[in-house]
Amino acid sequence: MDENLISIKNLEKTYIQEVSFLSPKKENQLVLKNINLNIKKGEIVSLVGESGCGKSTLANCILKLIKVDKGEILFHNEDILKFNKKQTFEYRKKIQMIFQNPYSSLNPKMKIFNTLEEPLLIHKIKSKKERLNKIDEIINLVGLNQSDLKKYPHEFSGGQRQRIAIARALILKPEFIVADEPVSALDVSICASIINLLLDLRKELNLTILFISHDLNLVRYISDKIAVMNKGEIVEFRKTQELFDNPFDDYTKFLLNSIRTIKLNN
C-alpha cells in the first residue's frame, strides 16, 4: 500500500448563505479549510467528527458532485477538478458511494435486478450476457439470492437493503468507495454484519475505502488510518492504533472520551 490513490491538497469550499430571512444580505461560510489528505491504494481511511463539521461536503467534493473553490483532488496523480465531461464520466466508474440510509437510497419503484442493471446500462455495457454475469457475481458477493432480484426494496429488511446498495455501488468494479455513515440507520447486530461484509469485500476486490462516521469505536475496528475533522479542518490524521494510544489534538481527546461501546464480531 505505497501508492496514493487519492491525494487532496489545500482544498477549500465556501457556501454562500443568507444572514437572515428578513435581510437580502448574504455571507460566505468557509466549510472546508485547507484540507490535505492522502489515501493509499488498498487502505480504509475513516473520517470522523461531529455532525456539520464538513465530512459529507468533503465526500461530495471527492465524488465531484459539488464544485470546489480552491485546491486539488488527485486520483492516480490526475487532478479530477480539471476533468472534462468525458473524463468525469470515466472517473465515476472508478469511484462510487454507499449512502447512509438504505431506505431512501433505493428507488422503491424499481426491482432489484433493474437497480443493479441501471449503472451497467448508463456506462454502455451493451451485452445482456455480460450484464447478467456481473449481476450474478455481485449478488453472490454481498450475500443475496437470485430470487431477490425479482423483488422491490420494501420487501427487504434494512440490512438487506444496505447489501443491495453495496451491490449497486460495486457493480462497476470501482477502485474507490466512499461509505457515508453506511450503518448508522441499522440495528447494532446488523451493523456488525455489514461492517464485516465491507471488510471481506475490501480484501476480495482490492478496494480502497473512505469510511465516514462519528463513531470512533466503530472506526477503530475497521480503519487503517483515521482523519479527525473539526469545524471544516482535519486536525489529526494518523494510523488508527497510534491515534487511540496517543492523541495529539484536544478535539480528538474529547471524541475518545465520548466513545460508545459497540461489540463487533470478527
Side-chain angles (χ1 to χ4, degrees):
M1 296 192 296
D2 295 326
E3 175 194 346
N4 287 332
L5 186 66
I6 296 278
S7 292
I8 301 170
K9 299 183 179 181
N10 306 314
L11 192 72
E12 292 191 357
K13 173 63 184 175
T14 301
Y15 286 127
I16 300 173
Q17 62 179 14
E18 293 183 358
V19 176
S20 73
F21 291 112
L22 301 176
S23 170
K25 185 178 178 182
K26 297 182 180 181
E27 65 180 20
N28 293 337
Q29 180 185 7
L30 191 59
V31 180
L32 298 179
K33 308 171 187 176
N34 196 36
I35 299 291
N36 289 277
L37 183 67
N38 291 321
I39 303 174
K40 295 185 182 299
K41 189 173 178 60
E43 281 186 331
I44 297 179
V45 170
S46 285
L47 186 62
V48 301
E50 61 193 33
S51 297
C53 71
K55 302 188 302 293
S56 293
T57 299
L58 179 56
N60 286 331
C61 290
I62 295 171
L63 292 160
K64 216 179 175 196
L65 296 176
I66 58 176
K67 291 184 178 180
V68 169
D69 299 316
K70 179 183 175 183
E72 297 178 325
I73 301 175
L74 304 181
F75 180 75
H76 286 302
N77 295 316
E78 291 187 281
D79 189 356
I80 69 164
L81 304 179
K82 296 178 180 177
F83 281 178
N84 58 31
K85 189 175 180 179
K86 182 179 178 182
Q87 289 172 311
T88 298
F89 183 78
E90 290 300 317
Y91 172 66
R92 288 188 173 139
K93 286 174 64 176
K94 300 170 185 175
I95 181 167
Q96 292 287 318
M97 187 168 191
I98 301 167
F99 293 94
Q100 177 178 2
N101 192 339
Y103 292 93
S104 60
S105 64
L106 299 174
N107 187 333
K109 297 181 179 180
M110 291 178 69
K111 291 183 179 180
I112 304 312
F113 177 86
N114 301 112
T115 293
L116 297 180
E117 187 184 36
E118 185 179 40
L120 300 174
L121 292 171
I122 289 171
H123 286 275
K124 297 178 172 45
I125 297 176
K126 296 179 180 179
S127 166
K128 185 175 182 180
K129 182 178 180 181
E130 186 179 356
R131 294 198 303 271
L132 290 173
N133 287 340
K134 287 180 179 293
I135 291 169
D136 287 346
E137 180 184 2
I138 204 66
I139 62 166
N140 289 329
L141 281 174
V142 301
L144 295 170
N145 300 313
Q146 281 284 338
S147 58
D148 293 329
L149 294 172
K150 299 176 183 178
K151 298 177 183 178
Y152 290 93
H154 73 269
E155 299 179 71
F156 296 91
S157 67
Q160 288 173 315
R161 290 189 204 192
Q162 197 59 297
R163 287 175 183 268
I164 295 163
I166 291 169
R168 181 182 59 185
L170 296 178
I171 193 74
L172 292 169
K173 295 283 183 72
E175 296 179 57
F176 186 76
I177 291 289
V178 176
D180 190 359
E181 303 263 15
V183 295
S184 63
L186 304 176
D187 292 339
V188 172
S189 59
I190 303 301
C191 161
S193 69
I194 296 300
I195 290 299
N196 287 321
L197 173 63
L198 286 174
L199 289 171
D200 290 342
L201 291 170
R202 176 244 195 140
K203 187 181 296 185
E204 180 82 20
L205 302 175
N206 193 27
L207 292 172
T208 305
I209 301 174
L210 178 64
F211 188 89
I212 299 173
S213 180
H214 60 274
D215 189 335
L216 269 170
N217 198 44
L218 177 58
V219 302
R220 183 176 192 174
Y221 176 80
I222 196 173
S223 314
D224 297 302
K225 295 176 184 173
I226 297 173
V228 180
M229 202 166 187
N230 184 28
K231 296 178 181 177
E233 298 181 89
I234 291 179
V235 296
E236 191 159 354
F237 178 46
R238 298 167 64 202
K239 291 181 178 179
T240 300
Q241 200 57 50
E242 290 177 1
L243 184 137
F244 274 83
D245 289 344
N246 185 27
F248 291 159
D249 188 82
D250 288 341
Y251 180 70
T252 306
K253 294 174 185 177
F254 165 76
L255 288 181
L256 287 171
N257 289 332
S258 59
I259 290 176
R260 67 184 177 91
T261 301
I262 294 181
K263 292 182 180 179
L264 294 169
N265 298 320
N266 286 313

